[in-house]
Amino acid sequence: MNEPVIHSTPTVSVMMLAYNVKKYINDAIESVLNQTFSDWELIIIDDGSTDGTTELIAQYAAKDSRIKVYYQEHGGRGKARNKCLEYSRGKYIAVCDSDDISYPERFEKQVNFLDNNLDIGAVGSQSCSFCEEAIFDPAKIIFWPTNPNKVYQGFKQGKMKIANCAAMIRTSLFKEYGGYCEELHRAQDYEFFSRITQKGIGLTNLPEVLVFYRQSNFIQNFQYFKENAIYTDYANYRLSGGTKSFNEFNRRVISKLRQNYLILNYWRFLIIMKVKKLKLYRNLYANMS
């Protein structure tokens, strides 16, 4: 680990949300401590954990003054992200999920990119999925577009096109365009990035893999798929100027017809993911032959 560079105002504020992640958060924090770029502060928001996460992150904060821990009653990701923004002092916000692992050079490369590309508001990277052990596997790379225009066009079509788990964002954007929608327990990142692309802010992803992204399954279960679809629908509703609360909106869209539509889309998603998985392993096998 590099000797820490401690400034009164750090360059990077690391956003980490913690809710019952005692099993994983140690790896996430260690990956921040092991960054080659050391001018950062780590803001951890404990969102009402009950599994021992609270005690574990307090131990880290006691050892390194760059780590700050704040607590709140369980209120969801949108609220926790905004609380983190309240305490962040850095020029850039680095999103680090509490169950993921950043490569050591991640901050260094992203800070350098943003410093030298003033027309870009946020930058992600490629990521590599894993379940238990973070081992690089070319077949598990999650690819994201590196052309800002393709990122813009993707969001215009309602698709998430920046790797939020690897995102570094200019803090000034939150001050100018507002924070995350607190009613969104999922897709609050999609809503924020869509909102700023509508304002002409450029987004992109670096071509390198800079984050190990934890997935419990290669393919999402239906409950996760359904929740994500509903919250994404609500995000699009808000982006189009809708003012109803999530509960009001949810009562309107959860009809039998909507349920059937989600089930059909889920089966389509399953088929696509299985085909992708087969193609990835076929290509990997061909390259090894």
Side-chain angles (χ1 to χ4, degrees), residues 128-146:
C128 182
S129 67
F130 76 106
C131 184
E132 290 299 331
E133 193 172 357
I135 299 176
F136 179 76
D137 182 347
K140 294 183 178 179
I141 295 176
I142 302 171
F143 293 99
W144 299 89
T146 57

Side-chain angles (χ1 to χ4, degrees), residues 30-81:
E30 289 293 338
S31 76
V32 175
L33 291 169
N34 289 329
Q35 290 295 306
T36 57
F37 183 91
S38 58
D39 185 21
W40 51 259
E41 63 177 356
L42 171 56
I43 310 294
I44 304 177
I45 305 298
D46 185 339
D47 190 26
S49 297
T50 58
D51 69 339
T53 296
T54 304
E55 293 75 19
L56 180 59
I57 58 180
Q59 292 173 18
Y60 274 103
K63 294 177 184 176
D64 193 317
S65 62
R66 294 174 297 173
I67 301 176
K68 311 288 194 307
V69 180
Y70 301 94
Y71 305 93
Q72 67 174 29
E73 292 184 7
H74 186 55
R77 297 178 190 175
K79 186 176 181 180
R81 289 194 190 284

Side-chain angles (χ1 to χ4, degrees), residues 11 22 105 115 140 142 171 197 230 251 258 264 274:
T11 302
K22 181 182 179 182
E105 65 274 17
D115 281 350
K140 294 183 178 179
I142 302 171
T171 306
T197 56
I230 293 169
R251 283 195 296 269
R258 176 63 176 164
L264 285 173
K274 286 182 181 293

Side-chain angles (χ1 to χ4, degrees), residues 183-197:
E183 290 202 74
L184 288 167
H185 290 255
R186 296 192 188 279
Q188 72 284 152
D189 48 355
Y190 164 76
E191 189 275 339
F192 172 75
F193 288 127
S194 295
R195 187 173 2 122
I196 64 174
T197 56

Side-chain angles (χ1 to χ4, degrees), residues 126-227:
Q126 312 309 303
S127 56
C128 182
S129 67
F130 76 106
C131 184
E132 290 299 331
E133 193 172 357
I135 299 176
F136 179 76
D137 182 347
K140 294 183 178 179
I141 295 176
I142 302 171
F143 293 99
W144 299 89
T146 57
N147 183 316
N149 186 55
K150 288 186 176 180
V151 174
Y152 170 77
Q153 292 299 329
F155 276 107
K156 195 174 179 181
Q157 296 167 14
K159 299 176 181 177
M160 183 69 168
K161 288 297 177 181
I162 187 169
N164 185 63
C165 67
M168 184 173 285
I169 309 159
R170 296 186 191 277
T171 306
S172 59
L173 295 178
F174 294 105
K175 295 176 180 177
E176 185 170 356
Y177 300 110
Y180 295 94
C181 175
E182 296 191 0
E183 290 202 74
L184 288 167
H185 290 255
R186 296 192 188 279
Q188 72 284 152
D189 48 355
Y190 164 76
E191 189 275 339
F192 172 75
F193 288 127
S194 295
R195 187 173 2 122
I196 64 174
T197 56
Q198 289 178 357
K199 302 295 184 180
I201 303 300
L203 310 176
T204 192
N205 297 282
L206 296 180
E208 305 98 324
V209 173
L210 294 178
V211 169
F212 280 114
Y213 173 66
R214 190 182 300 274
Q215 288 183 307
S216 56
N217 294 295
F218 181 79
I219 298 175
Q220 302 165 1
N221 61 44
F222 178 67
Q223 183 61 29
Y224 178 93
F225 181 88
K226 183 175 77 169
E227 287 180 5

Side-chain angles (χ1 to χ4, degrees), residues 71-99:
Y71 305 93
Q72 67 174 29
E73 292 184 7
H74 186 55
R77 297 178 190 175
K79 186 176 181 180
R81 289 194 190 284
N82 284 340
K83 189 176 183 72
C84 181
L85 292 175
E86 289 178 21
Y87 294 108
S88 296
R89 300 173 297 140
K91 180 180 179 182
Y92 304 126
I93 302 292
V95 178
C96 289
D97 290 339
S98 55
D99 57 351

